[in-house]
Amino acid sequence: MMACRGLFLRNVILSTWNISSIASIHTTSIVSKGRARIPFYNKHKKVTDPEQQDPEYYEKKAAALPLDSHYLDALQLLWTEKIGSERELMMKGSDNLIGNKEDYGLPSIDTSQPRYEYRNIDELTNAPEAVKKIFSIEYGERRDMTNAWKRTMMDSVNKHKLDESSLPSKIAWATAVIRHWTALVDQLLEKNPKKPTWLTHRLFLMINHRRKLLRILREQDEEAFEDVIKELKIAYHIPKQPEHVKTRKAWSEHQLKIRLEKEKEKKLDYLHKQLMEDRNQKIANIEKELSDLENEEKAIHQRLEEIKIIEGKSVSNVVGVYQPKLVEELSETVIHSLLFGHPKPTLGEKTTNQ
């Protein structure tokens, strides 16, 4: 009987208890903001615009944003896009592979030619066509095509045909591997949306290895470095330290500061241009106004002198320096000295009356 009462009471409580109010206690801070407490950035965002390969793309885009009430929100959206595209740009940007899924920057190969291992066999020159096809790249494996790409790119930059250890040859070899693996990753993603991390990790390491080789070559031989990146079509950008902390707020403040400086310079240039327009005419008008003011000032001074002459404070047509009332002032000074002028008393001495 007691068990039945307890079960009945439990059902009544559960039926009348509003569970949503309890859940709202834990989700109010999130639901009220409309987003999670920690913002989510998709770091694996696909990039399809080739213009984003420019390292200054997002800074230029931030500089072109309109300065309105939505400027900070637009900067936040731009930062989200920038963070999401960094990985894709790092993997493909240096080889200009964004939007290039035709040849991936790899050289065109004649697949009817013998494979790399059989290229120096003289018997294949006069062999039947069926035999040539068996030993050709077309009927070989994937690595045969890869070896052909490597050899073609290495021959385009090496110093001689037996050169396989110089920095340009190593860079060409790494470039062929990077572009081939990038094409292979895209092919695997078309079949399975799950990213082949076993290959992307190796691709990431190979990109860093080539970047190291490029840095060393640039330090040792600047001319050879320029020839290599031009021949292999590598977009090499010198890494620089950021002028701000890598956070959304700091990046937005930095872009806002740059934008304000540009707007200030733009306004100053506009004002300077306005100043220089019809500058000679403006200067002539200013000089004319100054001349009129000087003439007016002279007329006022002349009138004041005439008033002084009328009041007897000055004399006209005076030669030399005029000293007004000099005789009267001198006589008054002498009389005062006679009446009130006494010698300085001396202590301890008798004064004699003259």
Side-chain angles (χ1 to χ4, degrees):
M1 187 67 179
M2 295 296 294
C4 294
R5 288 183 179 179
L7 182 60
F8 175 75
L9 182 61
R10 177 176 177 272
N11 293 333
V12 171
I13 292 174
L14 291 177
S15 62
T16 57
W17 197 2
N18 188 5
I19 301 178
S20 61
S21 61
I22 302 299
S24 63
I25 296 176
H26 303 281
T27 60
T28 301
S29 60
I30 299 177
V31 175
S32 61
K33 295 181 180 180
R35 58 179 177 81
R37 293 180 181 178
I38 301 176
F40 171 75
Y41 297 111
N42 181 15
K43 295 184 179 181
H44 304 281
K45 185 177 180 180
K46 296 297 181 182
V47 181
T48 57
D49 188 4
E51 294 183 358
Q52 292 182 243
Q53 297 174 146
D54 184 6
E56 302 293 333
Y57 172 78
Y58 291 99
E59 283 71 16
K60 293 178 181 178
K61 199 169 182 180
L65 292 175
L67 289 174
D68 52 10
S69 58
H70 303 288
Y71 178 74
L72 295 180
D73 295 333
L75 277 180
Q76 181 178 359
L77 295 176
L78 194 61
W79 166 262
T80 304
E81 183 181 356
K82 179 178 182 295
I83 291 297
S85 305
E86 279 185 349
R87 183 177 179 85
E88 187 81 3
L89 292 174
M90 183 269 297
M91 301 291 283
K92 296 183 178 180
S94 58
D95 291 282
N96 299 317
L97 299 181
I98 302 297
N100 181 14
K101 291 189 176 182
E102 297 179 358
D103 56 356
Y104 288 89
L106 294 169
S108 58
I109 302 297
D110 186 6
T111 56
S112 63
Q113 296 296 322
R115 295 195 288 271
Y116 180 73
E117 295 82 1
Y118 309 106
R119 68 188 187 283
N120 295 324
I121 297 178
D122 298 334
E123 285 76 5
L124 288 177
T125 306
N126 300 323
E129 292 297 328
V131 177
K132 290 182 178 179
K133 286 185 178 181
I134 293 174
F135 292 95
S136 65
I137 299 175
E138 182 180 2
Y139 286 84
E141 299 177 352
R142 181 188 295 273
R143 64 179 180 180
D144 298 323
M145 192 67 179
T146 305
N147 291 334
W149 283 329
K150 292 176 183 177
R151 177 49 53 184
T152 303
M153 298 186 75
M154 290 172 65
D155 291 342
S156 63
V157 297
N158 60 4
K159 300 178 181 179
H160 49 82
K161 63 180 181 179
L162 299 178
D163 180 18
E164 294 183 356
S165 59
S166 64
L167 285 175
S169 297
K170 292 180 180 179
I171 293 171
W173 181 88
T175 302
V177 172
I178 289 170
R179 295 176 181 178
H180 176 218
W181 284 357
T182 303
L184 185 58
V185 168
D186 290 343
Q187 291 177 8
L188 294 175
L189 287 176
E190 291 178 358
K191 299 178 181 179
N192 186 3
K194 185 178 180 181
K195 181 173 290 187
T197 54
W198 59 271
L199 183 57
T200 55
H201 289 173
R202 290 173 173 82
L203 179 59
F204 176 74
L205 294 176
M206 185 60 68
I207 291 173
N208 289 334
H209 175 64
R210 186 186 64 176
R211 187 180 294 115
K212 176 184 176 181
L213 295 177
L214 286 170
R215 177 179 58 81
I216 296 174
L217 180 61
R218 181 171 174 269
E219 293 174 355
Q220 294 180 357
D221 192 347
E222 183 75 22
E223 184 177 357
F225 169 79
E226 295 293 339
D227 294 339
V228 167
I229 62 175
K230 181 179 179 181
E231 182 67 29
L232 300 179
K233 298 179 181 179
I234 300 174
Y236 182 82
H237 303 286
I238 301 174
K240 60 180 181 179
Q241 294 295 330
E243 300 178 0
H244 54 84
V245 183
K246 194 176 179 181
T247 60
R248 182 192 62 80
K249 180 180 178 182
W251 184 80
S252 300
E253 291 177 351
H254 183 67
Q255 297 304 319
L256 180 59
K257 181 180 178 181
I258 295 175
R259 183 64 181 276
L260 291 177
E261 291 294 332
K262 288 184 178 180
E263 292 296 330
K264 183 179 71 174
E265 293 295 331
K266 184 178 179 181
K267 186 66 175 179
L268 289 175
D269 292 340
Y270 173 74
L271 294 176
H272 179 71
K273 186 177 180 181
Q274 279 190 336
L275 177 64
M276 296 304 294
E277 290 179 356
D278 301 332
R279 185 169 179 267
N280 296 330
Q281 183 65 28
K282 292 178 181 178
I283 292 176
N285 295 335
I286 293 173
E287 290 179 351
K288 182 179 179 181
E289 292 180 1
L290 289 175
S291 177
D292 295 340
L293 291 175
E294 289 178 357
N295 294 333
E296 185 177 356
E297 184 181 5
K298 289 180 181 179
I300 292 173
H301 283 298
Q302 184 177 0
R303 180 57 181 167
L304 290 175
E305 291 295 332
E306 293 176 356
I307 293 173
K308 287 182 180 180
I309 294 172
I310 294 172
E311 293 178 350
K313 296 180 180 180
S314 179
V315 180
S316 62
N317 301 325
V318 177
V319 178
V321 180
Y322 175 68
Q323 298 292 342
K325 301 181 180 180
L326 179 60
V327 177
E328 295 179 3
E329 292 179 358
L330 182 59
S331 302
E332 185 178 0
T333 302
V334 172
I335 293 172
H336 285 182
S337 63
L338 292 175
L339 293 176
F340 305 105
H342 302 284
K344 182 179 180 181
T346 56
L347 298 177
E349 295 182 1
K350 295 181 179 180
T351 58
T352 58
N353 295 327
Q354 298 292 336

